[in-house]
């Protein structure tokens, strides 16, 4: 029996209307709680926000939706449906991989389509290896979802289940790149199924093979784009919560928490005092701990994921070689991760994510215009340039990235830009993200599962954490799960993943 909040929990205040907060709110509403959501910004979304720029509707955070049934669980808690609220468009290909040698690979989530593409790209032997890899990815997912991702932990002893033995037997505690290399010999293909470890803040050579679960989500389970952009998801969640009786208060930053002994008694915003029986806190960990007045002791200081520079570019033209998502790999690989995570240097030969959402939804830009999202991983501000340095470094790095994209075939890209927004680690710092990274604490072994910052905090009886800094971790699917797990800490109800979600791996 996992621990839950003690005492009354009739009225819960959720701080933050990001994906975690909205997920928590919906699950709490479904369990009969009265819910108030307070959000500092003027709209829902948190990291999955929206920027309006001269007719361009720009998603400021995640660009990809996987495992949509996890989002649907939150809607279902109040008798609603994601699929009624949001039109999800399957992406085919899920993304395109472009390599320094000029070769390209379209990544399909359909098994037979992907096997055919791998055979075209690298031969029948690699296609056979892909088929074996796909089976292994499905097994890795099944071994983790119920016990390690969709689960609250009170102790490392909670890991001691049959699923732990299954995960070990699958090689989940070996190194990711070596495990992928057992199935695929082509180094380019190895990259396609291992680069996702960087989402978790760990290079493939140092990541546990268990993190192949992210590759499962990206390359097997299906990749979707909501019509209207990724921000359509949190907006729909907020609408569903309001329809189910939640009070949503935007533009109200929380200034402090009132407490009596070990209980939070009220959430105080810049405009009001809101009494509560319990509180769910979703800001990044430094903000949350500052509000609580308490930072849990850890034997080792938290390590944070690399950050990113993002250029949102509205252009008067586009390039036909781009898919909705294109991964442009540089020639360098291992040295790039070393630069990002150990040397604190900008990538000398960058691998870049280029997203063109107007491929799928042209209404996100003015007529005849195109929207491009260019993401370059970079060191966080703990090991790389500090926030102040990015005032000068940002424009120079923007110019260098555009020159590199020109060299890689996006001719005339700088001249084509009509409107733009550049986001650097300094901006992430300004939004309250530790170490200037939106990807929070890295998923090293000692920052994963029961070793990750807990969603219950000692010294406070009725506060629960949610979001990517706590369990289960970073990413849209896991952030949605974190909200559900936080709600379960309040209500004592643990709603397992739906049959549809479990069945997606079969």
């Amino acid at each position: 029996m996992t621990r839950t909040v003690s005492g009354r929990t009739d009225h819960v205040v959720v701080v933050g209307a990001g994906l975690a907060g909205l997920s928590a709110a919906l699950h709490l509403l479904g369990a009969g709680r009265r819910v108030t959501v307070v959000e500092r910004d003027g709209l829902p979304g948190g990291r999955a926000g929206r920027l309006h720029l001269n007719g361009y509707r720009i998603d400021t955070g995640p660009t990809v939706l996987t495992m949509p049934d996890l989002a649907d669980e939150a809607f279902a808690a109040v008798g609603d449906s994601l699929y009624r609220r949001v039109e999800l468009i399957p992406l085919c290909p899920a993304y395109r991989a472009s390599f320094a040698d000029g070769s390209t690979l379209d990544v399909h989530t359909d098994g037979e389509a992907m096997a055919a593409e791998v055979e075209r790209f690298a031969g029948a032997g690699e296609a056979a290896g892909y088929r074996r890899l796909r089976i292994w990815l499905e097994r890795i997912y099944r071994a983790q979802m119920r016990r390690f991702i969709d689960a609250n932990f009170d102790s490392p002893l909670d890991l001691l289940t049959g699923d732990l033995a299954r995960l070990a037997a699958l090689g989940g505690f070996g190194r990711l790149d070596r495990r992928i290399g057992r199935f695929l010999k082509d180094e380019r293909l190895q990259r396609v199924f291992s680069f996702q470890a960087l989402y978790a803040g760990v290079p493939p050579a140092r990541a546990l093979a268990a993190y192949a679960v992210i590759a499962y989500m990206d390359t097997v389970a299906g990749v979707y784009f909501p019509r209207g952009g990724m921000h359509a998801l949190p907006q729909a969640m907020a609408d569903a919560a309001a329809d189910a009786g939640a009070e949503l208060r935007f533009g109200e930053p929380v200034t402090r928490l009132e407490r009596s002994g070990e209980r939070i008694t009220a959430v105080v915003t810049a405009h009001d005092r809101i009494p509560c029986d319990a509180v769910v806190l979703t800001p990044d960990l430094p903000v949350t701990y500052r509000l609580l007045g308490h930072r849990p002791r850890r034997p080792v200081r938290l390590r944070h994921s690399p950050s990113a520079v993002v250029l949102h570019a509205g252009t008067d033209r586009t390039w036909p070689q781009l898919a909705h998502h294109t991964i442009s790999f540089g020639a360098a690989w291992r040295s790039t991760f070393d630069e990002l995570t150990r040397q604190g240097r900008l990538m000398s030969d960058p691998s870049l994510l280029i997203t063109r959402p107007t491929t799928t939804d042209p209404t996100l830009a003015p007529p005849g215009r195109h929207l491009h999202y260019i993401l370059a991983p970079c060191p966080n501000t703990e090991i790389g340039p500090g926030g102040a340095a990015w005032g000068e470094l940002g424009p120079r790095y923007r110019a260098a990235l555009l020159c590199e994209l020109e060299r890689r075939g996006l001719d005339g890209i700088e001249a084509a830009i009509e409107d733009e927004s550049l986001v650097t680690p300094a901006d992430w710092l300004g939004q309250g993200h530790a170490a200037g990274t939106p990807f929070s604490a890295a998923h090293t072994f000692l920052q994963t599962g029961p070793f990750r910052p807990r969603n219950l905090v000692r010294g406070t009886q009725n506060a629960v954490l949610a979001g990517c800094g706590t369990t289960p971790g970073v990413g849209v699917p896991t952030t949605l799960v974190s909200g559900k797990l936080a709600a379960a800490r309040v209500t004592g109800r643990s709603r397992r993943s739906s049959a549809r979600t479990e069945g997606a791996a079969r």
Side-chain angles (χ1 to χ4, degrees):
M1 187 74 176
T2 56
R3 291 174 54 207
T4 58
V5 165
S6 61
R8 288 184 56 181
T9 60
D10 297 345
H11 179 210
V12 184
V13 175
V14 177
V15 178
L19 295 175
L22 293 168
S23 173
L26 289 166
H27 285 285
L28 288 165
L29 289 162
R33 299 314 192 267
R34 182 163 71 91
V35 175
T36 301
V37 181
V38 290
E39 166 59 47
R40 67 181 178 182
D41 293 332
L43 74 171
R47 286 171 171 83
R50 169 58 54 87
L51 171 66
H52 292 273
L53 184 64
N54 297 327
Y56 293 95
R57 294 186 293 153
I58 298 171
D59 287 320
T60 59
T63 64
V64 62
L65 178 62
T66 61
M67 310 297 291
D69 279 352
L70 292 176
D72 189 49
E73 274 193 88
F75 287 89
V78 294
D80 210 326
S81 168
L82 166 67
Y83 305 103
R84 183 179 72 82
R85 294 266 183 180
V86 180
E87 180 186 353
L88 296 184
I89 306 168
L91 296 187
C92 186
Y95 53 90
R96 178 168 295 152
S98 175
F99 300 95
D101 64 3
S103 60
T104 61
L105 174 80
D106 281 352
V107 177
H108 299 279
T109 54
D110 175 79
E112 287 308 308
M114 186 58 187
E117 176 68 356
V118 170
E119 183 167 353
R120 176 200 66 79
F121 182 79
E126 292 295 85
Y130 162 74
R131 288 189 171 94
R132 294 192 301 272
L133 171 63
R134 186 181 178 96
I135 292 170
W136 179 76
L137 290 172
E138 291 171 344
R139 290 173 175 168
I140 278 283
Y141 170 78
R142 287 200 300 269
Q144 291 186 72
M145 186 63 198
R146 193 165 62 93
R147 295 288 187 181
F148 304 118
I149 297 175
D150 189 14
N152 275 315
F153 293 100
D154 292 326
S155 162
L157 295 178
D158 294 342
L159 287 172
L160 300 179
T161 68
D163 284 329
L164 181 69
R166 281 187 281 274
L167 185 58
L170 288 166
F173 297 106
R175 294 302 176 195
L176 177 62
D177 61 347
R178 294 177 188 171
R179 179 59 56 169
I180 298 297
R182 291 192 176 192
F183 300 99
L184 301 169
K185 304 308 177 187
D186 189 297
E187 189 264 350
R188 298 167 300 173
L189 290 173
Q190 291 174 10
R191 291 189 188 190
V192 167
F193 291 95
S194 64
F195 80 89
Q196 295 89 351
L198 194 60
Y199 297 162
V202 186
R206 301 206 303 270
L208 293 177
Y211 287 119
V213 70
I214 310 175
Y216 167 83
M217 295 176 181
D218 266 7
T219 68
V220 176
V223 176
Y224 302 86
F225 187 70
R227 189 171 299 281
M230 281 293 295
H231 182 69
L233 173 59
Q235 185 62 62
M237 295 176 76
D239 293 342
D243 289 348
E247 180 184 8
L248 284 84
R249 303 171 66 155
F250 296 107
E252 294 201 28
V254 173
T255 57
R256 62 188 176 90
L257 303 175
E258 286 187 7
R259 67 166 61 225
S260 175
E262 292 192 346
R263 293 190 69 82
I264 305 298
T265 56
V267 174
V268 181
T269 75
H271 308 292
D272 202 0
R273 175 185 179 275
I274 309 169
C276 64
D277 298 312
V279 62
V280 176
L281 299 167
T282 72
D284 212 20
L285 292 177
V287 177
T288 289
Y289 292 151
R290 186 165 64 248
L291 288 172
L292 289 169
H294 172 68
R295 178 181 294 273
R297 292 181 179 178
R298 291 183 62 89
V300 180
R301 182 181 176 185
L302 274 179
R303 288 178 51 195
H304 289 88
S305 297
S307 184
V309 170
V310 178
L311 175 63
H312 302 286
T315 64
D316 61 7
R317 60 165 295 192
T318 191
W319 294 265
Q321 65 266 41
L322 295 177
H324 185 112
H325 296 294
T326 302
I327 308 288
S328 177
F329 289 105
W333 188 239
R334 287 179 180 263
S335 61
T336 295
F337 292 112
D338 199 52
E339 290 169 337
L340 289 174
T341 62
R342 288 182 169 171
Q343 298 175 23
R345 295 170 45 200
L346 297 174
M347 293 179 290
S348 56
D349 185 11
S351 290
L352 307 170
L353 169 65
I354 306 159
T355 296
R356 185 180 59 181
T358 44
T359 303
T360 304
D361 187 352
T363 67
L364 296 173
R369 297 297 186 264
H370 308 271
L371 187 56
H372 299 84
Y373 166 111
I374 301 157
L375 182 147
C378 69
N380 65 47
T381 56
E382 285 183 341
I383 66 168
W390 280 99
E392 178 185 351
L393 181 57
R396 287 195 286 113
Y397 194 47
R398 167 202 175 275
L401 290 174
L402 291 175
C403 284
E404 182 62 24
L405 290 172
E406 291 258 6
R407 192 186 67 79
R408 297 185 186 184
L410 302 190
D411 54 292
I413 184 170
E414 184 164 21
I417 296 175
E418 294 185 331
D419 291 285
E420 66 180 278
S421 174
L422 182 70
V423 184
T424 73
D427 298 296
W428 304 123
L429 274 176
Q431 293 175 29
H433 301 320
T437 173
F439 305 116
S440 195
H443 282 262
T444 60
F445 178 76
L446 293 178
Q447 294 180 180
T448 297
F451 307 112
R452 198 163 180 81
R454 303 281 181 86
N455 57 7
L456 288 181
V457 182
R458 288 180 181 174
T460 305
Q461 295 179 354
N462 61 339
V464 187
L465 276 55
C468 60
T470 185
T471 53
V474 177
V476 171
T478 41
T479 299
L480 291 166
V481 171
S482 81
K484 181 176 75 165
L485 296 178
R489 290 290 198 186
V490 174
T491 66
R493 295 172 60 179
S494 179
R495 294 170 59 98
R496 286 294 179 196
S497 295
S498 67
R500 283 180 295 171
T501 302
E502 293 287 338
R506 297 193 177 101

